Amino acid sequence: MEKVILLIQCPDQHGIVAQVTQFIFQQNGNITESNQHSTDLEGGRFYMRLGFILDTADRTILEGAFSPLGKSLQAEWHFHFESDVTRMAIAVSQYDHCLVDLLYRVSSGELNATIPFVISNHETTRALVEHHGIPFHHLPVNKDTKADQEKQILDLISENSDFLVMARYMQILSADFLGDYGKEVINIHHSFLPSFIGANPYRQAYERGVKIIGATAHYATMDLDEGPIIEQAVARVSHTDTVQTLKRKGRTLEQNALASAIHAHAEHRVIRHGNKTIVFEP
Amino acid sequence: MEKVILLIQCPDQHGIVAQVTQFIFQQNGNITESNQHSTDLEGGRFYMRLGFILDTADRTILEGAFSPLGKSLQAEWHFHFESDVTRMAIAVSQYDHCLVDLLYRVSSGELNATIPFVISNHETTRALVEHHGIPFHHLPVNKDTKADQEKQILDLISENSDFLVMARYMQILSADFLGDYGKEVINIHHSFLPSFIGANPYRQAYERGVKIIGATAHYATMDLDEGPIIEQAVARVSHTDTVQTLKRKGRTLEQNALASAIHAHAEHRVIRHGNKTIVFEP
Amino acid sequence: MEKVILLIQCPDQHGIVAQVTQFIFQQNGNITESNQHSTDLEGGRFYMRLGFILDTADRTILEGAFSPLGKSLQAEWHFHFESDVTRMAIAVSQYDHCLVDLLYRVSSGELNATIPFVISNHETTRALVEHHGIPFHHLPVNKDTKADQEKQILDLISENSDFLVMARYMQILSADFLGDYGKEVINIHHSFLPSFIGANPYRQAYERGVKIIGATAHYATMDLDEGPIIEQAVARVSHTDTVQTLKRKGRTLEQNALASAIHAHAEHRVIRHGNKTIVFEP
Amino acid sequence: MEKVILLIQCPDQHGIVAQVTQFIFQQNGNITESNQHSTDLEGGRFYMRLGFILDTADRTILEGAFSPLGKSLQAEWHFHFESDVTRMAIAVSQYDHCLVDLLYRVSSGELNATIPFVISNHETTRALVEHHGIPFHHLPVNKDTKADQEKQILDLISENSDFLVMARYMQILSADFLGDYGKEVINIHHSFLPSFIGANPYRQAYERGVKIIGATAHYATMDLDEGPIIEQAVARVSHTDTVQTLKRKGRTLEQNALASAIHAHAEHRVIRHGNKTIVFEP
C-alpha cells in the first residue's frame, strides 16, 4: 500500500473534479483527502490536492496513465509518494533555536523528513549538528566570496535535497542561486511581515511600541522579505518588554511558524500562486 | 444560477468521490468546494460536503436523479439550496449579549439567515427585539408549566424555523422537546467544556484559579452540557479577575463562539457523528 | 468612600515610591493597586499609577496637600476620582459595528462611562443612537467645509467630553483640531499597524497574502496611523478568505481592540510616553 | 549592585506599602518593580512583590533590619537576591520534549537557573543530559521500591536544589515526599485542567471532541492534578486530529506552559494562596 498525493492546477473549467477522481477510481485508488481552491469560477485558476491509497504504486505507470488527462486539462501536476521521504537541507548562521527545534522534530519522528546535512557560515552549531549524526559543512562567506560560496552550497544541495530551509541563515541568497537551485527555499523572518522589513525587526517593533509581535515563514524570492507567506505566528508584548525580551519571545514564534510551514510544505499542502500561497489544512 | 451544497455520509468504500462528482458533472454542475472526512479507511464512515453551481436547479429533479446513487452507496444525503434562507429561531432569558450580537449579524447581512421570532421566558429583551422588527413571544415558565410552555414553543417553531439557538436561554429543554422538534438546537455554554459543567461556571473557574477561561457552542442533547461541541473560544485571565470580570470577559467569548458555530451550521459545514462534530473549514 | 487613581510621572530618582505612598498613608488612604515603570533606572523617566481608597475625598484639599511633593519630584500628576464618570464622545461615519459595540458596553454598565452624544458626517446611525436615548449630531463634511465642521465638533465636545473616540470615523482630524481639543482622541485602525497604513488595509492584506490580520487602537496624532498604540487584536485567515470575509472577520477585531483600549483608557491605566504607551494591567 | 526581590504577605491593613517602601528607601534601595494584590480590602490578605537595587546587599543585615517591621505587620516575607542563581532539579521519564526545551533555555542563558542534575526512572534521556554536561541519575521505580526511590531522590535534591520540575515525570510523588522536600514542585499536566484529569488526557480530549486542547503547569500537591495552576496554554484542533496529532500539538503546549511557569517561578513572580496562584506580570 502506498499513500500518494496529487497536486494539480489548471484553468478552471467544468468537470475537473469528476474526471480526476474518476481517473483515481480507475487506478483502484481510494481517495482519503481532497482539497480544492479556485481563484475565480469564471476564467480563474483551479488548484486541487488529492490524497489516495494505492495497493501498488508505480510512478512511471501512474504518470503515463495520467498524462493524457493532464494535457487535456492544460494542467501542471505532480504525484508525491509518501514513501519518498523528503530531504530537507538546512542553512543556519549563529542563532540556533530554529535548528534545535528542527533537529528535535526530525529525530523524534514528528516531521516526516530527513536532514542530509546542515550548512553554516559559522562554526557555532557544529557540535550540536554532529551530535545528531548529521554532516555539518562550514562555508564561510564575505562580500568577495559570496558567488563562490553559493556555488559550493549549490554543489551540495542541488542533487541531495528536496528543499532548503533558512533556519535563521543571516545571508541573502542571490537571484542566481534561487534560479539555479530551482526548488523551494523556506525562510523565517523575525517579524510579522510586512511590518518591519529589513534589519533589526525586534528593535523596530520596540521603537514603534507595538502590542503584538510576530514571525513569518515564507518562500524566499529575489525580493527579500517579499516572498509568498506560508505561516505567521504572534504573541502579546507590553511596555515592560525590552528589545532583549522581544527577541526571547520571538524565538518561540520563529520556531513555531517555521516548523508549521515546514510541516505543511513537507506534506505537500502548500501551493504557490503568484506571490501568495494556498495552504490546505489537513 | 443556484449554489447547492450536498452533504452526504455513508460507509467508506472505493469510488464514492468519483461517482458523486461524476453525478454532479452530469447535472452540468461546477464544483466549487469539496471537503471530506473518513473515520477509518477500513470499515469507517465517510462524510463529504460538496458545493457546486447549477445553471438551473430543481430540487425534485435533482433529488430524483441522485436517489439511485444514494441508495447504492447506502448514504444519508441532503441538498441545501443557497436561495433557501435559513430561519433561525432564538430563545433567550435575561442576559442579552448573545442576542444583541446575533441581531446585529443578521441585520448587517453578515449571517445569511432570518430570525422569524424570539422566544423568552422573560420580558427583558422585548424592546430590543421589537426595535429590529422581529416578533417577540413571552412564554414564562416554572416547574409546573414547563411541559405546557415547551408545547407552546414547539407550536411556534416546528413549522417556522430550521434550527433553534439557545442564546443564553437558562432553561433545560426536555428530551421530549428535542425529540419532537427533530431539528438541531444550538446552545452556548459559558465554560470551556468539559470543565465546569453545571451551574455558575465562572464562579467555578474563579474558585479553581484557572488562567484561561472559555465558552463552548454545542448541539443540545438530552445530557446537559454533553452534546457535540461545534466551537470553543478562550481568553486569558489572571488573579486580578473577580467572578464579575470573568463574566464580563466571558460575554465576548460566548458571543464569538456562538456566532462562529451558527455561521458554520448555517453554511452546512457541520456534520454530527456520534457525540462529535465534523466542522469543514470554508 | 471614594476610589482615587493617582497617575504620576517624573524623572527617575531614589525614594519616589516611598514618598508618594507615605503621602497617601498620611491622607488615611488604603492603597489597593500599584503599578510602576521606569524607562531607565539611570536618568530615565518614572511612571506610576496608584489606586487607593479614601473615606472622604476632597479634590482641592488632596491636590493642595500633594502639590509640594509633586513639585519636589518635578512631576506631572493627576488624581482621578472614580465617582467622576468619564464622558466619552463618539464620532462615526457609516460603519456601525464599533458604535453598536460601545453602545452595548455602556448601556450594560460594563464600561464605566457615559456617551454625551454621537457625531457623524452621515445620517446612517441616527436611529440606532437615538434608540439609546443619546443625542445625535449630523455634521456633514467636505473639503471646503472641513474647517467649519471641525469647529462645530469642537464646540460640542470641548466642554462636554473627557475624550473622543473615532469609532470608524473615516475623516482625518486636523492637527489644529487635535491641538485645540487638547484631550485624548482614540482611533481604531483596521489593520495590524504598522502593516497596511493608508486606505483599504483589508485589500492590502488580501493582496499580500498574510495569514493573520489585525486591528489597532491608538491615540490619534497629526501623523495618521502613526500615533501611540494602545491595543492590537489579531485573527487567523487563509487563502479561502476574500476581501469581503477579511472585512467581516476584521469587524470583530476592531470591536475588541477598540473596546479594550477604551476600557484601559477610561480606567486611567494608559500613560503616553513619546510615541508609545504604557498600559498597566489591572 | 544587587537586584533584590522582596515577597511579602500579611493581613491587609492601612499603610503597608508606605511602611515597606519607606524601609527600602532607608536602605538606600531604588525600587524598580512593584506589584500587589489583596484578596479583600476588609479582612483580606495582602501580597506584594517589590524589586529594588541596592548598592551593597548583605542578607543578614537586610533581614535583621526588616525583622521588626515584618513582625509588626504579622507578615511572611523573603528577600531573594538575583545573584543567588536558582537551582532547578528535573525529574523526567521517557518523553523528552520538555527536557529538551528546558536544557535549551538554560544553556542559551534565557532562563536564569542552573540544572544541578536530572533524575529519571528510565535510561532514555541519559545521552541527551550528559551531552549538556549535566549529571544524570537513573533511579528506577516500581510499586515495591517506591518509598526507597523517593528517599534516594530526596537525598539528591533536598540540599542541592531550590525547586523540582516534573518535566513529564510519569510517577506520582507521595505526600510524604512533598512534605519532606518542603520546597516547590512544578508539574506539567497534559490537559487543560480541570478537564481530563487522570490518565490519557489526549485520548479523553479526542473522545469528547473538543475544539481546543491545552496544557497546565501547576504546583504539585497531594491531590494529583488539583494543585495551584501557574500557567495554561491552548491550541485549536479539529475533527481531522487523531490522538496521535493531539499528542504532537500538545507537546508544544506542554513545553510553552511549563517554560512560562518556570520563568515566573524562578523570577519570584508567583505566590501561592490557598489552592490558587498570584502570578505578577513583569
Side-chain angles (χ1 to χ4, degrees):
Chain A
M1 292 231 310
E2 174 79 70
K3 172 82 175 286
V4 184
I5 304 292
L6 169 60
L7 288 186
I8 181 169
Q9 53 174 286
C10 61
D12 205 351
Q13 56 202 280
H14 271 231
I16 306 171
V17 183
Q19 291 177 72
V20 174
T21 57
Q22 184 66 19
F23 168 83
I24 292 169
F25 180 59
Q26 285 160 355
Q27 306 301 312
N28 219 15
N30 191 14
I31 296 174
T32 58
E33 299 173 64
S34 76
N35 293 93
Q36 63 173 71
H37 179 67
S38 178
T39 57
D40 193 334
L41 299 181
E42 303 300 322
R45 193 154 182 86
F46 177 87
Y47 300 86
M48 187 164 57
R49 178 187 188 274
L50 285 174
F52 56 98
I53 310 281
L54 288 179
D55 283 340
T56 57
D58 180 290
R59 176 176 293 280
T60 316
I61 292 172
L62 192 63
E63 292 179 347
F66 189 75
S67 195
L69 177 53
K71 200 162 290 172
S72 90
L73 294 171
Q74 297 174 268
E76 295 172 38
W77 50 273
H78 194 81
F79 291 99
H80 298 274
F81 285 51
E82 201 174 49
S83 58
D84 294 345
V85 176
T86 304
R87 298 161 304 165
M88 167 173 70
I90 296 179
V92 67
S93 291
Q94 302 201 73
Y95 296 118
D96 61 353
H97 52 283
C98 286
L99 176 64
V100 164
D101 187 65
L102 293 178
L103 289 170
Y104 180 74
R105 288 182 199 259
V106 168
S107 68
S108 68
E110 174 188 316
L111 197 56
N112 187 27
T114 57
I115 302 173
F117 38 74
V118 172
I119 294 160
S120 181
N121 54 333
H122 293 274
E123 279 285 357
T124 324
T125 60
R126 178 185 291 276
L128 170 67
V129 171
E130 294 184 343
H131 173 68
H132 280 80
I134 293 170
F136 177 88
H137 298 282
H138 179 213
L139 300 175
V141 63
N142 60 42
K143 252 182 266 179
D144 299 330
T145 63
K146 189 177 175 74
D148 280 353
Q149 190 243 22
E150 287 197 343
K151 178 78 177 53
Q152 288 176 292
I153 299 179
L154 265 181
D155 287 346
L156 279 168
I157 70 175
S158 50
E159 295 296 319
N160 300 306
S161 70
D162 296 305
F163 66 105
L164 171 64
V165 175
M166 301 170 74
R168 297 300 307 271
Y169 181 65
M170 309 304 275
Q171 300 290 320
I172 298 170
L173 295 173
S174 70
D176 281 350
F177 177 91
L178 294 173
D180 290 346
Y181 182 42
K183 303 174 190 173
E184 296 292 10
V185 177
I186 297 176
N187 183 42
I188 179 73
H189 184 77
H190 41 317
S191 89
F192 185 77
L193 288 178
S195 289
F196 312 130
I197 283 170
N200 272 328
Y202 291 119
R203 174 157 289 283
Q204 291 184 59
Y206 174 80
E207 299 293 351
R208 181 62 186 89
V210 293
K211 299 301 184 187
I212 293 178
I213 57 167
T216 304
H218 64 92
Y219 288 123
T221 57
M222 287 175 298
D223 297 312
L224 189 66
D225 303 340
E226 297 287 350
I229 294 171
I230 308 168
E231 176 65 304
Q232 300 188 288
V234 288
R236 294 191 74 82
V237 297
S238 81
H239 63 275
T240 64
D241 281 290
T242 60
V243 176
Q244 216 50 41
T245 62
L246 293 184
K247 283 181 182 171
R248 163 158 80 77
K249 294 179 180 179
R251 283 201 291 267
T252 301
L253 300 181
E254 294 164 32
Q255 290 175 330
N256 291 351
L258 181 58
S260 179
I262 290 173
H263 256 289
H265 179 81
E267 292 169 358
H268 315 294
R269 294 191 280 105
V270 191
I271 303 180
R272 289 172 75 143
H273 75 115
N275 203 44
K276 299 190 195 180
T277 62
I278 293 158
V279 182
F280 291 126
E281 291 303 308
Chain B
M1 291 229 312
E2 174 78 70
K3 172 82 175 285
V4 184
I5 304 292
L6 169 60
L7 288 187
I8 181 168
Q9 53 175 287
C10 61
D12 206 351
Q13 55 201 282
H14 272 233
I16 306 171
V17 183
Q19 292 177 73
V20 174
T21 57
Q22 183 67 21
F23 168 83
I24 292 169
F25 181 59
Q26 285 159 354
Q27 307 301 310
N28 219 17
N30 190 15
I31 297 174
T32 58
E33 299 173 65
S34 76
N35 293 94
Q36 64 172 70
H37 179 68
S38 177
T39 57
D40 194 335
L41 299 180
E42 303 298 324
R45 193 153 183 88
F46 177 86
Y47 301 86
M48 187 164 58
R49 178 186 187 275
L50 284 173
F52 55 99
I53 309 281
L54 287 180
D55 282 339
T56 56
D58 180 291
R59 176 176 293 280
T60 314
I61 292 172
L62 192 64
E63 291 179 348
F66 190 75
S67 195
L69 177 53
K71 200 163 290 173
S72 90
L73 294 170
Q74 298 173 268
E76 295 172 38
W77 51 273
H78 193 81
F79 290 100
H80 298 273
F81 285 52
E82 202 175 48
S83 57
D84 296 344
V85 176
T86 304
R87 296 162 303 165
M88 166 172 71
I90 296 180
V92 66
S93 291
Q94 302 201 74
Y95 296 119
D96 61 354
H97 51 284
C98 287
L99 177 64
V100 165
D101 187 64
L102 293 178
L103 288 170
Y104 181 74
R105 288 182 199 260
V106 168
S107 67
S108 69
E110 174 188 317
L111 198 56
N112 186 27
T114 57
I115 302 174
F117 38 74
V118 172
I119 294 160
S120 181
N121 54 333
H122 293 274
E123 280 284 356
T124 324
T125 60
R126 178 185 291 276
L128 170 67
V129 171
E130 294 184 344
H131 173 68
H132 280 79
I134 293 171
F136 177 88
H137 298 282
H138 180 214
L139 301 175
V141 63
N142 60 42
K143 252 181 268 179
D144 299 331
T145 63
K146 187 179 177 73
D148 280 351
Q149 190 244 20
E150 288 197 340
K151 178 80 177 51
Q152 288 175 293
I153 300 179
L154 265 181
D155 288 345
L156 279 168
I157 70 175
S158 49
E159 295 296 318
N160 300 306
S161 70
D162 296 304
F163 66 105
L164 171 65
V165 175
M166 301 169 74
R168 298 300 307 272
Y169 180 65
M170 310 303 275
Q171 301 289 319
I172 298 169
L173 294 172
S174 69
D176 281 350
F177 177 91
L178 294 174
D180 290 346
Y181 182 42
K183 303 173 190 175
E184 295 292 9
V185 177
I186 297 178
N187 183 42
I188 178 72
H189 184 77
H190 40 316
S191 90
F192 189 19
L193 288 178
S195 289
F196 311 130
I197 283 170
N200 271 328
Y202 291 118
R203 174 156 289 284
Q204 291 184 57
Y206 174 79
E207 299 293 351
R208 182 61 186 90
V210 292
K211 299 300 185 187
I212 293 178
I213 57 167
T216 305
H218 64 92
Y219 288 123
T221 57
M222 286 175 297
D223 298 312
L224 189 65
D225 303 340
E226 297 287 349
I229 294 170
I230 308 168
E231 177 64 305
Q232 299 189 288
V234 289
R236 294 191 74 81
V237 297
S238 81
H239 63 274
T240 64
D241 280 291
T242 60
V243 176
Q244 215 52 38
T245 62
L246 293 184
K247 283 181 182 172
R248 164 157 78 78
K249 294 178 180 180
R251 282 202 291 267
T252 300
L253 300 181
E254 295 164 32
Q255 290 175 329
N256 292 351
L258 182 59
S260 179
I262 290 173
H263 256 290
H265 179 82
E267 293 170 357
H268 314 293
R269 294 191 282 103
V270 190
I271 303 180
R272 290 173 73 144
H273 74 115
N275 203 43
K276 299 190 196 182
T277 62
I278 293 159
V279 182
F280 291 127
E281 292 301 310
Chain C
M1 292 229 311
E2 174 79 69
K3 173 83 174 286
V4 184
I5 303 293
L6 169 61
L7 289 187
I8 181 169
Q9 53 175 288
C10 61
D12 205 349
Q13 55 203 282
H14 271 231
I16 306 170
V17 183
Q19 292 176 73
V20 175
T21 57
Q22 184 66 21
F23 169 83
I24 291 168
F25 181 59
Q26 285 159 354
Q27 306 302 311
N28 219 15
N30 191 14
I31 296 175
T32 58
E33 300 172 64
S34 76
N35 293 93
Q36 64 173 70
H37 180 68
S38 178
T39 57
D40 194 334
L41 299 181
E42 303 299 323
R45 193 154 182 85
F46 177 87
Y47 300 86
M48 187 163 59
R49 178 187 188 273
L50 284 173
F52 55 98
I53 310 282
L54 288 180
D55 283 340
T56 56
D58 179 291
R59 177 177 293 280
T60 316
I61 292 173
L62 193 64
E63 291 179 348
F66 190 74
S67 194
L69 177 54
K71 201 163 290 173
S72 91
L73 294 170
Q74 299 174 263
E76 295 172 38
W77 50 272
H78 194 81
F79 290 100
H80 298 273
F81 285 51
E82 201 176 49
S83 57
D84 295 344
V85 176
T86 304
R87 297 162 302 165
M88 166 173 72
I90 297 179
V92 67
S93 291
Q94 302 201 73
Y95 296 118
D96 61 353
H97 53 284
C98 286
L99 177 64
V100 164
D101 187 63
L102 292 178
L103 289 170
Y104 181 74
R105 289 181 200 259
V106 168
S107 67
S108 69
E110 174 189 316
L111 198 56
N112 187 28
T114 57
I115 302 173
F117 39 73
V118 172
I119 293 160
S120 181
N121 54 332
H122 293 272
E123 280 284 357
T124 325
T125 60
R126 178 185 291 277
L128 170 67
V129 172
E130 294 184 343
H131 173 68
H132 280 78
I134 293 171
F136 177 87
H137 299 282
H138 180 214
L139 300 176
V141 63
N142 61 42
K143 253 181 267 179
D144 299 330
T145 63
K146 188 178 175 74
D148 280 351
Q149 190 242 21
E150 287 196 343
K151 178 79 177 52
Q152 288 175 292
I153 300 179
L154 266 181
D155 287 346
L156 279 168
I157 70 176
S158 49
E159 295 296 319
N160 300 307
S161 70
D162 296 304
F163 67 105
L164 171 65
V165 175
M166 300 169 75
R168 298 300 306 274
Y169 179 66
M170 310 303 275
Q171 301 290 318
I172 298 170
L173 295 173
S174 69
D176 281 350
F177 177 91
L178 295 173
D180 290 345
Y181 183 42
K183 303 174 190 173
E184 296 292 9
V185 177
I186 297 177
N187 183 43
I188 178 72
H189 184 77
H190 40 314
S191 90
F192 188 21
L193 289 178
S195 290
F196 312 131
I197 284 170
N200 271 328
Y202 291 118
R203 173 156 289 284
Q204 291 184 60
Y206 174 80
E207 300 292 351
R208 182 61 187 90
V210 292
K211 300 300 185 189
I212 293 178
I213 57 167
T216 305
H218 63 92
Y219 288 123
T221 57
M222 286 175 297
D223 298 312
L224 189 66
D225 303 340
E226 297 286 349
I229 294 171
I230 308 168
E231 177 63 306
Q232 299 188 289
V234 289
R236 295 191 73 81
V237 296
S238 80
H239 63 275
T240 64
D241 281 291
T242 60
V243 175
Q244 214 52 38
T245 62
L246 293 184
K247 283 181 182 171
R248 165 158 77 80
K249 294 178 181 180
R251 282 201 291 266
T252 300
L253 301 181
E254 295 164 31
Q255 290 175 330
N256 292 350
L258 182 59
S260 180
I262 291 173
H263 256 290
H265 179 81
E267 292 170 357
H268 315 294
R269 294 191 281 105
V270 190
I271 302 179
R272 289 173 76 144
H273 74 115
N275 203 44
K276 299 190 195 181
T277 62
I278 294 159
V279 182
F280 291 126
E281 291 302 309
Chain D
M1 293 232 310
E2 174 78 71
K3 172 83 175 285
V4 185
I5 303 291
L6 169 61
L7 288 187
I8 181 169
Q9 53 174 287
C10 60
D12 205 351
Q13 56 202 279
H14 272 232
I16 306 171
V17 183
Q19 292 177 74
V20 175
T21 57
Q22 184 66 20
F23 168 83
I24 292 168
F25 180 59
Q26 285 160 355
Q27 307 301 312
N28 219 16
N30 191 14
I31 297 174
T32 58
E33 299 172 65
S34 75
N35 293 92
Q36 64 174 69
H37 180 68
S38 178
T39 58
D40 193 335
L41 298 181
E42 304 299 325
R45 194 154 182 86
F46 177 87
Y47 301 86
M48 188 163 58
R49 178 187 188 274
L50 285 173
F52 55 98
I53 310 282
L54 288 180
D55 282 341
T56 56
D58 180 290
R59 175 177 294 281
T60 315
I61 292 172
L62 192 63
E63 292 179 347
F66 190 75
S67 195
L69 177 54
K71 201 162 291 172
S72 91
L73 293 171
Q74 299 174 266
E76 295 172 39
W77 50 274
H78 194 81
F79 291 100
H80 299 274
F81 285 51
E82 201 175 47
S83 58
D84 295 344
V85 176
T86 304
R87 298 161 303 165
M88 167 173 71
I90 296 179
V92 67
S93 290
Q94 302 201 73
Y95 296 118
D96 61 354
H97 52 284
C98 286
L99 177 64
V100 164
D101 187 64
L102 293 178
L103 289 169
Y104 180 75
R105 288 180 199 259
V106 168
S107 67
S108 68
E110 174 187 317
L111 198 56
N112 187 27
T114 57
I115 302 173
F117 38 73
V118 172
I119 293 160
S120 181
N121 53 333
H122 293 274
E123 280 283 357
T124 324
T125 60
R126 178 184 291 277
L128 169 68
V129 172
E130 294 184 342
H131 173 69
H132 280 80
I134 293 170
F136 177 88
H137 299 282
H138 180 213
L139 300 176
V141 62
N142 61 40
K143 252 181 269 180
D144 299 330
T145 63
K146 185 176 178 74
D148 280 352
Q149 190 244 20
E150 287 197 342
K151 178 80 177 51
Q152 289 176 292
I153 299 178
L154 265 181
D155 287 346
L156 279 167
I157 70 175
S158 49
E159 294 297 318
N160 300 306
S161 69
D162 297 304
F163 66 104
L164 171 64
V165 175
M166 301 171 73
R168 299 298 308 272
Y169 180 67
M170 309 304 275
Q171 301 289 319
I172 298 169
L173 295 173
S174 69
D176 281 351
F177 175 91
L178 295 173
D180 290 346
Y181 183 42
K183 302 173 191 175
E184 296 291 9
V185 176
I186 296 177
N187 183 42
I188 178 72
H189 184 77
H190 40 317
S191 89
F192 185 76
L193 288 177
S195 289
F196 312 131
I197 284 171
N200 272 327
Y202 291 119
R203 172 155 292 284
Q204 291 184 59
Y206 174 80
E207 300 293 352
R208 182 61 186 90
V210 293
K211 300 299 184 187
I212 294 178
I213 57 168
T216 304
H218 63 92
Y219 288 123
T221 57
M222 286 175 298
D223 298 313
L224 188 67
D225 303 339
E226 297 286 349
I229 294 170
I230 308 168
E231 176 64 305
Q232 299 190 287
V234 289
R236 294 191 73 83
V237 296
S238 80
H239 63 274
T240 64
D241 280 290
T242 61
V243 176
Q244 216 50 41
T245 63
L246 293 184
K247 282 181 182 172
R248 164 158 79 78
K249 294 178 180 180
R251 282 202 291 267
T252 300
L253 300 181
E254 295 164 31
Q255 291 175 328
N256 292 350
L258 182 58
S260 179
I262 290 172
H263 257 289
H265 179 82
E267 292 170 357
H268 316 294
R269 294 191 280 105
V270 190
I271 303 179
R272 290 172 75 144
H273 73 116
N275 202 45
K276 299 189 194 181
T277 62
I278 293 158
V279 183
F280 291 126
E281 291 303 308

